[in-house]
Amino acid sequence: MGSLIIRSKAPLRLGLAGGGTDIADYYNRFGGYVLNATVDMYAYCTIEPNDSGKIEFIAADLGKQEEYSAEEKITISPALPLHCGIYNKIISDFVKKPLSFKMTTYSDAPAGSGLGSSSTMVVAIIKAFEEWLNLPLGEYDIAALACKIEREDIGLAGGKQDQYAATFGGFNFMEFYEKERVIVNPLRLKRWIRNEIESSLILYYTGVSRESANIINEQIQHTQKGDAKNIESMHEMKRQSVIMKEALLKGDFKGFSDCLLNGWLAKKNAAASISNSFLDELYQYAIDNGAESAKISGAGGGGFMMIYCNPCKRIALIRALKEKQGMVLTPSFTEIGTQAWRLI
């Protein structure tokens, strides 16, 4: 084939319970628990090294393209801040000299979808660099580096579950503590339990993309002020993640469905922007057409609604949802986290 090509992908995730307790202002004080699972939708990255003396970023799904001279530090572009921030970090922490290449990225889910697409993209890009440059990075290292770039270097508000989900893959119960201590506990679900959950879930894209950082900033302000209602809501979301973990391991599907609903009710109490009349009406529409429970995946405000139903009612519910304006997906769970490979 001639020249070297490096490709990578990282899976997107469904936030099942506890999302929001992975924000530093909360977990530094109380510790956070999150339960999530990755699905067969991905963020992709291709790096084509060259000797052009240029860096070319192409975000194919966003229709954005940027070009730079290959230098040790490039200006963080408002159009593609993550791509620039990752490059700067890789150079400053590992390579110590400029690199010249063309990078193309795209994702199976739109930005602002609530499936952790931007953080998953960060993981996919880091994984491609790791493969290309033989960087000494394990799973925890990749996830921690992704968090550092987003939260510290670029200054985006948000949690940490997405980066760890994309890196590790599968069903995971995650613990977040002060001093950036994270423990990822993979859940060994029986195959029939996984099949049942997979057969019972529908993802409905509301068509409303939202800036998760704005919603998360509202949550952070409440937590910093010691807002009792907000903190109690977060405690409840954390509690539901522990209950859901047990329900999943035991195959208690009624318990799983109840946790989904209770977690969503608690989440709505955490910040006003998490739900709105459109989402509340959509939730009720799903329930009226056979759903047992539902919640918005991610920070809220829009994106994907995760709907749980009896598998026998799934087709009728999908038909009903298709009468609305959004998009219906039936994803499968995936057990493998981020991967990279090379073509020579």
Side-chain angles (χ1 to χ4, degrees):
M1 284 189 67
S3 51
L4 173 66
I5 297 173
I6 295 98
R7 298 199 204 280
S8 67
K9 65 177 186 175
L12 299 166
R13 62 98 188 103
L14 296 181
L16 299 173
T21 69
D22 58 327
I23 291 168
D25 288 274
Y26 181 83
Y27 68 68
N28 279 334
R29 289 173 64 189
F30 306 108
Y33 297 156
V34 173
L35 182 59
N36 58 32
T38 51
V39 292
D40 59 348
M41 297 168 69
Y42 296 88
Y44 301 88
C45 174
T46 294
I47 294 177
E48 299 171 73
N50 57 44
D51 52 10
S52 66
K54 302 270 185 204
I55 297 165
E56 191 181 355
F57 293 132
I58 301 167
D61 52 340
L62 305 177
K64 293 177 180 175
Q65 193 162 340
E66 300 268 298
E67 193 175 284
Y68 299 84
S69 294
E71 293 170 9
E72 283 195 31
K73 187 169 188 181
I74 58 176
T75 306
I76 303 264
S77 131
L80 296 173
L82 298 173
H83 294 61
C84 300
I86 297 163
Y87 171 81
N88 287 343
K89 193 73 168 174
I90 294 293
I91 301 303
S92 70
D93 285 17
F94 301 102
V95 187
K96 316 291 187 191
K97 63 177 189 199
L99 295 171
S100 178
F101 58 91
K102 175 180 168 184
M103 178 187 289
T104 307
T105 59
Y106 60 94
S107 176
D108 285 335
S113 64
L115 301 180
S117 50
S118 48
S119 298
T120 304
M121 182 60 76
V122 174
V123 169
I125 295 173
I126 292 172
K127 186 68 180 175
F129 275 120
E130 183 233 21
E131 175 70 24
W132 176 22
L133 305 165
N134 296 311
L135 302 179
L137 296 172
E139 289 162 326
Y140 280 98
D141 302 320
I142 290 173
L145 191 63
C147 292
K148 220 177 186 67
I149 292 164
E150 284 188 78
R151 305 292 165 250
E152 295 174 22
D153 299 0
I154 301 172
L156 293 173
K160 297 173 92 164
Q161 67 156 316
D162 302 349
Q163 296 86 344
Y164 283 86
T167 305
F168 282 83
F171 279 82
N172 289 296
F173 182 79
M174 301 179 179
E175 304 171 50
F176 301 94
Y177 299 107
E178 61 183 343
K179 298 180 181 166
E180 306 310 323
R181 192 162 69 89
V182 180
I183 302 166
V184 177
N185 305 282
L187 299 188
R188 292 179 58 189
L189 292 192
K190 297 268 195 325
R191 176 76 49 187
W192 67 271
I193 294 174
R194 210 181 95 158
N195 286 342
E196 180 67 14
I197 298 289
E198 204 170 82
S199 304
S200 307
L201 282 181
I202 299 169
L203 278 187
Y204 177 80
Y205 184 52
T206 58
V208 181
S209 175
R210 79 288 177 274
E211 196 68 54
S212 65
N214 297 341
I215 299 168
I216 290 161
N217 276 324
E218 187 190 339
Q219 272 181 268
I220 288 169
Q221 283 163 12
H222 287 315
T223 307
Q224 286 174 343
K225 286 179 193 162
D227 182 315
K229 183 184 171 191
N230 166 270
I231 289 172
E232 195 43 56
S233 301
M234 303 282 267
H235 288 345
E236 179 59 21
M237 283 150 62
K238 180 175 156 183
R239 198 174 75 85
Q240 289 299 327
S241 69
V242 177
I243 297 169
M244 185 186 279
K245 176 181 72 164
E246 188 173 330
L248 269 177
L249 289 169
K250 291 179 174 176
D252 172 7
F253 302 111
K254 171 76 166 65
F256 174 84
S257 178
D258 289 347
C259 282
L260 216 55
L261 174 57
N262 292 336
W264 172 235
L265 295 175
K267 192 177 186 70
K268 287 206 306 185
N269 277 329
S273 53
I274 283 170
S275 192
N276 50 49
S277 57
F278 169 73
L279 293 178
D280 290 340
E281 281 168 26
L282 181 61
Y283 179 91
Q284 196 52 51
Y285 180 80
I287 297 294
D288 292 345
N289 283 279
E292 290 180 16
S293 59
K295 75 181 280 283
I296 292 292
S297 183
F304 275 92
M305 181 171 274
M306 188 167 42
I307 302 168
Y308 185 82
C309 67
N310 180 319
C312 297
K313 296 183 179 178
R314 196 185 192 195
I315 291 297
L317 179 50
I318 287 171
R319 278 201 196 107
L321 288 167
K322 282 183 173 171
E323 289 175 19
K324 295 280 188 184
Q325 295 302 305
M327 175 173 65
V328 179
L329 297 172
T330 52
S332 298
F333 294 118
T334 177
E335 293 176 30
I336 298 171
T338 189
Q339 304 168 68
W341 60 99
R342 52 180 64 210
L343 310 171
I344 298 172

mmCIF file of all heavy atoms in Angstrom, residues 13-20 22 112-117 161-162 203 210 212 215-216 219 237 263-264 267 274 295-306:
data_model
loop_
_atom_site.group_PDB
_atom_site.id
_atom_site.type_symbol
_atom_site.label_atom_id
_atom_site.label_comp_id
_atom_site.label_asym_id
_atom_site.label_seq_id
_atom_site.Cartn_x
_atom_site.Cartn_y
_atom_site.Cartn_z
ATOM 1 N N ARG A 13 -21.241 5.560 24.496
ATOM 2 C CA ARG A 13 -21.810 4.892 25.668
ATOM 3 C C ARG A 13 -23.227 5.358 25.974
ATOM 4 O O ARG A 13 -23.636 6.456 25.620
ATOM 5 C CB ARG A 13 -20.924 5.112 26.890
ATOM 6 C CG ARG A 13 -20.764 6.573 27.312
ATOM 7 C CD ARG A 13 -21.680 6.980 28.438
ATOM 8 N NE ARG A 13 -21.631 8.431 28.669
ATOM 9 C CZ ARG A 13 -22.552 9.265 28.269
ATOM 10 N NH1 ARG A 13 -23.594 8.842 27.599
ATOM 11 N NH2 ARG A 13 -22.459 10.564 28.543
ATOM 12 N N LEU A 14 -23.964 4.482 26.652
ATOM 13 C CA LEU A 14 -25.245 4.858 27.256
ATOM 14 C C LEU A 14 -24.990 5.075 28.736
ATOM 15 O O LEU A 14 -24.435 4.207 29.409
ATOM 16 C CB LEU A 14 -26.279 3.740 27.081
ATOM 17 C CG LEU A 14 -26.708 3.393 25.662
ATOM 18 C CD1 LEU A 14 -27.750 2.278 25.688
ATOM 19 C CD2 LEU A 14 -27.262 4.617 24.946
ATOM 20 N N GLY A 15 -25.400 6.232 29.231
ATOM 21 C CA GLY A 15 -25.301 6.494 30.670
ATOM 22 C C GLY A 15 -26.530 5.899 31.346
ATOM 23 O O GLY A 15 -27.631 6.422 31.216
ATOM 24 N N LEU A 16 -26.346 4.779 32.041
ATOM 25 C CA LEU A 16 -27.501 4.082 32.624
ATOM 26 C C LEU A 16 -27.918 4.667 33.971
ATOM 27 O O LEU A 16 -29.093 4.806 34.258
ATOM 28 C CB LEU A 16 -27.184 2.591 32.771
ATOM 29 C CG LEU A 16 -26.885 1.857 31.452
ATOM 30 C CD1 LEU A 16 -26.420 0.433 31.715
ATOM 31 C CD2 LEU A 16 -28.116 1.854 30.545
ATOM 32 N N ALA A 17 -26.942 4.998 34.815
ATOM 33 C CA ALA A 17 -27.272 5.542 36.148
ATOM 34 C C ALA A 17 -26.079 6.292 36.718
ATOM 35 O O ALA A 17 -24.931 5.959 36.430
ATOM 36 C CB ALA A 17 -27.679 4.410 37.086
ATOM 37 N N GLY A 18 -26.361 7.305 37.524
ATOM 38 C CA GLY A 18 -25.314 8.013 38.259
ATOM 39 C C GLY A 18 -24.603 9.115 37.504
ATOM 40 O O GLY A 18 -23.734 9.784 38.054
ATOM 41 N N GLY A 19 -24.955 9.322 36.221
ATOM 42 C CA GLY A 19 -24.297 10.379 35.447
ATOM 43 C C GLY A 19 -24.486 11.735 36.110
ATOM 44 O O GLY A 19 -25.586 12.073 36.538
ATOM 45 N N GLY A 20 -23.428 12.497 36.218
ATOM 46 C CA GLY A 20 -23.469 13.784 36.932
ATOM 47 C C GLY A 20 -22.673 13.709 38.214
ATOM 48 O O GLY A 20 -22.086 14.694 38.662
ATOM 49 N N ASP A 22 -20.032 12.190 38.361
ATOM 50 C CA ASP A 22 -18.639 12.120 37.899
ATOM 51 C C ASP A 22 -18.076 13.512 37.617
ATOM 52 O O ASP A 22 -17.053 13.654 36.948
ATOM 53 C CB ASP A 22 -18.546 11.248 36.640
ATOM 54 C CG ASP A 22 -19.423 11.765 35.491
ATOM 55 O OD1 ASP A 22 -20.503 12.342 35.772
ATOM 56 O OD2 ASP A 22 -19.044 11.590 34.316
ATOM 57 N N GLY A 112 -23.408 16.611 20.757
ATOM 58 C CA GLY A 112 -24.548 17.036 21.567
ATOM 59 C C GLY A 112 -25.630 15.992 21.657
ATOM 60 O O GLY A 112 -26.766 16.273 22.013
ATOM 61 N N SER A 113 -25.296 14.733 21.335
ATOM 62 C CA SER A 113 -26.313 13.671 21.308
ATOM 63 C C SER A 113 -26.559 13.053 22.676
ATOM 64 O O SER A 113 -27.532 12.342 22.874
ATOM 65 C CB SER A 113 -25.876 12.575 20.335
ATOM 66 O OG SER A 113 -24.688 11.963 20.790
ATOM 67 N N GLY A 114 -25.644 13.277 23.622
ATOM 68 C CA GLY A 114 -25.804 12.668 24.940
ATOM 69 C C GLY A 114 -25.222 11.271 25.033
ATOM 70 O O GLY A 114 -25.453 10.564 26.001
ATOM 71 N N LEU A 115 -24.446 10.873 24.024
ATOM 72 C CA LEU A 115 -23.802 9.555 24.052
ATOM 73 C C LEU A 115 -22.302 9.683 24.326
ATOM 74 O O LEU A 115 -21.549 8.732 24.162
ATOM 75 C CB LEU A 115 -24.016 8.814 22.731
ATOM 76 C CG LEU A 115 -25.471 8.559 22.321
ATOM 77 C CD1 LEU A 115 -25.537 7.823 20.992
ATOM 78 C CD2 LEU A 115 -26.212 7.772 23.386
ATOM 79 N N GLY A 116 -21.885 10.877 24.736
ATOM 80 C CA GLY A 116 -20.475 11.094 25.056
ATOM 81 C C GLY A 116 -19.603 11.216 23.824
ATOM 82 O O GLY A 116 -18.428 10.862 23.837
ATOM 83 N N SER A 117 -20.170 11.758 22.725
ATOM 84 C CA SER A 117 -19.462 11.698 21.441
ATOM 85 C C SER A 117 -18.166 12.503 21.418
ATOM 86 O O SER A 117 -17.172 12.059 20.846
ATOM 87 C CB SER A 117 -20.379 12.119 20.288
ATOM 88 O OG SER A 117 -21.022 13.329 20.572
ATOM 89 N N GLN A 161 -16.991 10.123 33.043
ATOM 90 C CA GLN A 161 -17.406 8.765 32.684
ATOM 91 C C GLN A 161 -17.167 8.438 31.208
ATOM 92 O O GLN A 161 -16.810 7.314 30.859
ATOM 93 C CB GLN A 161 -18.877 8.522 33.048
ATOM 94 C CG GLN A 161 -19.890 9.332 32.256
ATOM 95 C CD GLN A 161 -21.257 8.666 32.212
ATOM 96 O OE1 GLN A 161 -21.367 7.463 32.007
ATOM 97 N NE2 GLN A 161 -22.306 9.461 32.435
ATOM 98 N N ASP A 162 -17.359 9.431 30.328
ATOM 99 C CA ASP A 162 -17.288 9.163 28.882
ATOM 100 C C ASP A 162 -15.907 8.658 28.472
ATOM 101 O O ASP A 162 -15.772 7.727 27.679
ATOM 102 C CB ASP A 162 -17.602 10.431 28.077
ATOM 103 C CG ASP A 162 -18.965 11.002 28.408
ATOM 104 O OD1 ASP A 162 -19.734 10.314 29.102
ATOM 105 O OD2 ASP A 162 -19.245 12.136 27.990
ATOM 106 N N LEU A 203 -33.238 3.608 21.307
ATOM 107 C CA LEU A 203 -32.689 4.961 21.395
ATOM 108 C C LEU A 203 -33.476 5.837 20.432
ATOM 109 O O LEU A 203 -33.651 5.481 19.262
ATOM 110 C CB LEU A 203 -31.223 4.982 20.972
ATOM 111 C CG LEU A 203 -30.174 4.578 22.000
ATOM 112 C CD1 LEU A 203 -28.792 4.829 21.429
ATOM 113 C CD2 LEU A 203 -30.337 5.323 23.303
ATOM 114 N N ARG A 210 -27.611 19.651 22.042
ATOM 115 C CA ARG A 210 -27.459 20.653 23.099
ATOM 116 C C ARG A 210 -26.012 20.729 23.530
ATOM 117 O O ARG A 210 -25.246 19.807 23.362
ATOM 118 C CB ARG A 210 -28.381 20.363 24.294
ATOM 119 C CG ARG A 210 -27.902 19.297 25.244
ATOM 120 C CD ARG A 210 -27.990 17.905 24.668
ATOM 121 N NE ARG A 210 -27.446 16.954 25.605
ATOM 122 C CZ ARG A 210 -26.172 16.635 25.707
ATOM 123 N NH1 ARG A 210 -25.280 17.206 24.956
ATOM 124 N NH2 ARG A 210 -25.771 15.731 26.576
ATOM 125 N N SER A 212 -23.696 20.359 26.182
ATOM 126 C CA SER A 212 -23.739 19.743 27.514
ATOM 127 C C SER A 212 -23.023 20.602 28.546
ATOM 128 O O SER A 212 -23.405 20.641 29.705
ATOM 129 C CB SER A 212 -23.132 18.341 27.480
ATOM 130 O OG SER A 212 -21.764 18.388 27.169
ATOM 131 N N ILE A 215 -25.333 22.934 30.491
ATOM 132 C CA ILE A 215 -26.158 22.252 31.489
ATOM 133 C C ILE A 215 -25.302 21.863 32.685
ATOM 134 O O ILE A 215 -25.690 22.042 33.844
ATOM 135 C CB ILE A 215 -26.818 20.997 30.875
ATOM 136 C CG1 ILE A 215 -27.735 21.411 29.712
ATOM 137 C CG2 ILE A 215 -27.594 20.206 31.916
ATOM 138 C CD1 ILE A 215 -28.205 20.267 28.845
ATOM 139 N N ILE A 216 -24.096 21.345 32.397
ATOM 140 C CA ILE A 216 -23.193 20.905 33.469
ATOM 141 C C ILE A 216 -22.755 22.098 34.306
ATOM 142 O O ILE A 216 -22.655 22.006 35.528
ATOM 143 C CB ILE A 216 -21.995 20.137 32.865
ATOM 144 C CG1 ILE A 216 -22.494 18.793 32.325
ATOM 145 C CG2 ILE A 216 -20.908 19.906 33.904
ATOM 146 C CD1 ILE A 216 -21.594 18.134 31.323
ATOM 147 N N GLN A 219 -25.319 22.762 36.853
ATOM 148 C CA GLN A 219 -25.219 21.780 37.933
ATOM 149 C C GLN A 219 -24.069 22.118 38.878
ATOM 150 O O GLN A 219 -24.191 22.035 40.096
ATOM 151 C CB GLN A 219 -24.971 20.382 37.349
ATOM 152 C CG GLN A 219 -26.233 19.627 36.999
ATOM 153 C CD GLN A 219 -25.879 18.252 36.455
ATOM 154 O OE1 GLN A 219 -25.746 18.090 35.264
ATOM 155 N NE2 GLN A 219 -25.729 17.281 37.316
ATOM 156 N N MET A 237 -29.140 9.948 42.600
ATOM 157 C CA MET A 237 -28.646 9.367 41.350
ATOM 158 C C MET A 237 -27.534 8.356 41.636
ATOM 159 O O MET A 237 -27.467 7.284 41.026
ATOM 160 C CB MET A 237 -28.130 10.481 40.425
ATOM 161 C CG MET A 237 -29.242 11.243 39.737
ATOM 162 S SD MET A 237 -28.823 12.971 39.385
ATOM 163 C CE MET A 237 -27.451 12.789 38.306
ATOM 164 N N GLY A 263 -33.738 7.398 38.422
ATOM 165 C CA GLY A 263 -32.539 8.175 38.111
ATOM 166 C C GLY A 263 -32.877 9.408 37.290
ATOM 167 O O GLY A 263 -32.330 10.489 37.506
ATOM 168 N N TRP A 264 -33.817 9.261 36.358
ATOM 169 C CA TRP A 264 -34.232 10.389 35.511
ATOM 170 C C TRP A 264 -34.976 11.435 36.344
ATOM 171 O O TRP A 264 -34.738 12.637 36.203
ATOM 172 C CB TRP A 264 -35.089 9.882 34.360
ATOM 173 C CG TRP A 264 -35.738 10.949 33.509
ATOM 174 C CD1 TRP A 264 -37.059 11.072 33.223
ATOM 175 C CD2 TRP A 264 -35.087 12.027 32.819
ATOM 176 N NE1 TRP A 264 -37.274 12.156 32.405
ATOM 177 C CE2 TRP A 264 -36.073 12.770 32.144
ATOM 178 C CE3 TRP A 264 -33.750 12.448 32.733
ATOM 179 C CZ2 TRP A 264 -35.784 13.897 31.383
ATOM 180 C CZ3 TRP A 264 -33.461 13.577 31.968
ATOM 181 C CH2 TRP A 264 -34.466 14.285 31.300
ATOM 182 N N LYS A 267 -32.436 13.218 38.330
ATOM 183 C CA LYS A 267 -31.603 14.068 37.464
ATOM 184 C C LYS A 267 -32.323 15.366 37.106
ATOM 185 O O LYS A 267 -31.728 16.434 37.085
ATOM 186 C CB LYS A 267 -31.246 13.295 36.189
ATOM 187 C CG LYS A 267 -30.155 13.941 35.353
ATOM 188 C CD LYS A 267 -29.818 13.075 34.161
ATOM 189 C CE LYS A 267 -28.623 13.619 33.396
ATOM 190 N NZ LYS A 267 -27.360 13.484 34.112
ATOM 191 N N ILE A 274 -32.107 20.525 32.470
ATOM 192 C CA ILE A 274 -31.976 19.105 32.109
ATOM 193 C C ILE A 274 -33.207 18.618 31.346
ATOM 194 O O ILE A 274 -33.095 17.834 30.418
ATOM 195 C CB ILE A 274 -31.701 18.254 33.378
ATOM 196 C CG1 ILE A 274 -30.228 18.435 33.776
ATOM 197 C CG2 ILE A 274 -32.013 16.785 33.154
ATOM 198 C CD1 ILE A 274 -29.854 17.862 35.102
ATOM 199 N N LYS A 295 -35.184 7.638 29.953
ATOM 200 C CA LYS A 295 -34.400 8.761 30.467
ATOM 201 C C LYS A 295 -33.578 9.332 29.320
ATOM 202 O O LYS A 295 -33.328 8.652 28.327
ATOM 203 C CB LYS A 295 -33.480 8.333 31.619
ATOM 204 C CG LYS A 295 -32.243 7.542 31.186
ATOM 205 C CD LYS A 295 -31.381 7.132 32.376
ATOM 206 C CE LYS A 295 -30.477 8.234 32.891
ATOM 207 N NZ LYS A 295 -29.277 8.476 32.074
ATOM 208 N N ILE A 296 -33.163 10.580 29.478
ATOM 209 C CA ILE A 296 -32.251 11.169 28.506
ATOM 210 C C ILE A 296 -30.842 10.679 28.826
ATOM 211 O O ILE A 296 -30.440 10.666 29.983
ATOM 212 C CB ILE A 296 -32.325 12.715 28.573
ATOM 213 C CG1 ILE A 296 -33.683 13.210 28.070
ATOM 214 C CG2 ILE A 296 -31.200 13.356 27.766
ATOM 215 C CD1 ILE A 296 -33.939 13.010 26.603
ATOM 216 N N SER A 297 -30.119 10.252 27.797
ATOM 217 C CA SER A 297 -28.730 9.817 27.996
ATOM 218 C C SER A 297 -27.830 11.039 27.943
ATOM 219 O O SER A 297 -27.942 11.857 27.042
ATOM 220 C CB SER A 297 -28.319 8.822 26.907
ATOM 221 O OG SER A 297 -27.008 8.363 27.139
ATOM 222 N N GLY A 298 -26.947 11.167 28.931
ATOM 223 C CA GLY A 298 -26.024 12.297 28.942
ATOM 224 C C GLY A 298 -26.507 13.406 29.854
ATOM 225 O O GLY A 298 -27.297 13.191 30.768
ATOM 226 N N ALA A 299 -26.034 14.623 29.577
ATOM 227 C CA ALA A 299 -26.296 15.733 30.495
ATOM 228 C C ALA A 299 -27.764 16.150 30.530
ATOM 229 O O ALA A 299 -28.234 16.716 31.507
ATOM 230 C CB ALA A 299 -25.437 16.938 30.090
ATOM 231 N N GLY A 300 -28.510 15.858 29.454
ATOM 232 C CA GLY A 300 -29.916 16.269 29.403
ATOM 233 C C GLY A 300 -30.117 17.396 28.411
ATOM 234 O O GLY A 300 -29.217 17.774 27.676
ATOM 235 N N GLY A 301 -31.335 17.933 28.393
ATOM 236 C CA GLY A 301 -31.646 19.062 27.523
ATOM 237 C C GLY A 301 -31.973 18.688 26.083
ATOM 238 O O GLY A 301 -32.422 19.510 25.311
ATOM 239 N N GLY A 302 -31.738 17.451 25.715
ATOM 240 C CA GLY A 302 -31.966 16.999 24.336
ATOM 241 C C GLY A 302 -31.145 15.755 24.078
ATOM 242 O O GLY A 302 -30.893 14.983 24.981
ATOM 243 N N GLY A 303 -30.725 15.574 22.828
ATOM 244 C CA GLY A 303 -29.920 14.399 22.510
ATOM 245 C C GLY A 303 -30.765 13.139 22.418
ATOM 246 O O GLY A 303 -31.905 13.180 21.964
ATOM 247 N N PHE A 304 -30.219 12.010 22.874
ATOM 248 C CA PHE A 304 -30.909 10.722 22.763
ATOM 249 C C PHE A 304 -31.722 10.403 24.010
ATOM 250 O O PHE A 304 -31.235 10.553 25.128
ATOM 251 C CB PHE A 304 -29.903 9.592 22.557
ATOM 252 C CG PHE A 304 -29.509 9.397 21.119
ATOM 253 C CD1 PHE A 304 -28.402 10.040 20.589
ATOM 254 C CD2 PHE A 304 -30.243 8.569 20.287
ATOM 255 C CE1 PHE A 304 -28.029 9.847 19.266
ATOM 256 C CE2 PHE A 304 -29.886 8.368 18.957
ATOM 257 C CZ PHE A 304 -28.778 9.016 18.445
ATOM 258 N N MET A 305 -32.954 9.954 23.792
ATOM 259 C CA MET A 305 -33.745 9.411 24.892
ATOM 260 C C MET A 305 -33.604 7.889 24.836
ATOM 261 O O MET A 305 -33.735 7.277 23.772
ATOM 262 C CB MET A 305 -35.213 9.820 24.775
ATOM 263 C CG MET A 305 -36.068 9.275 25.926
ATOM 264 S SD MET A 305 -37.756 9.962 25.959
ATOM 265 C CE MET A 305 -37.526 11.476 26.886
ATOM 266 N N MET A 306 -33.290 7.308 25.977
ATOM 267 C CA MET A 306 -33.137 5.860 26.092
ATOM 268 C C MET A 306 -34.449 5.323 26.641
ATOM 269 O O MET A 306 -34.882 5.720 27.723
ATOM 270 C CB MET A 306 -31.981 5.598 27.070
ATOM 271 C CG MET A 306 -31.557 4.188 27.166
ATOM 272 S SD MET A 306 -29.968 4.057 28.022
ATOM 273 C CE MET A 306 -30.116 5.212 29.370
#
